[in-house]
Amino acid sequence: AIVDAVHAAFSAPSFEEGLAVEAELFEALAASPQAGALQYAFLAERQMSKVDVGGEAARVARAAVVGAGTMGTGIAMCFANAGIAVSVVDLDGVALEKAMGAVRKTYAA
């Protein structure tokens, strides 16, 4: 719809007609389920900032990462950098070895 609005801005016979097309497309997007979900998420996030959970945050002593792909390896290294003991598990032993090699290489540098 956004591409259509930009196209209408260039191809409409007049500025007013381009605006009319843009308004029509915007109304359709604003009424979409995706727009409603985004609005809900935005408002929920704003409300959560007002919640007083009280007390201190729990200290994280150990962590586990499921999946030794690029993302899992990076997450595991973030925990390790923070001084948190971390275990990485993966069904694929080759992927796990590759991840451990990447970790060793990173910390050796």
Side-chain angles (χ1 to χ4, degrees):
I2 292 175
V3 173
D4 294 336
V6 172
H7 183 266
F10 286 101
S11 64
S14 70
F15 179 75
E16 289 75 21
E17 290 180 65
L19 283 178
V21 170
E22 182 181 350
E24 183 180 307
L25 293 168
F26 176 80
E27 287 176 18
L29 288 175
S32 71
Q34 293 86 352
L38 288 169
Q39 292 166 18
Y40 177 84
F42 173 79
L43 294 173
E45 186 176 318
R46 303 248 324 161
Q47 288 298 315
M48 284 305 300
S49 69
K50 299 174 185 175
V51 174
D52 180 17
V53 294
E56 294 289 319
R59 183 177 176 282
V60 176
R62 294 190 51 80
V65 177
V66 178
T70 302
M71 186 182 291
T73 301
I75 292 168
M77 287 194 298
C78 285
F79 280 122
N81 290 340
I84 298 169
V86 61
S87 298
V88 179
V89 294
D90 197 302
L91 293 176
D92 183 357
V94 174
L96 191 56
E97 281 304 314
K98 183 178 175 185
M100 291 306 298
V103 170
R104 287 185 197 100
K105 182 178 176 183
T106 299
Y107 287 124

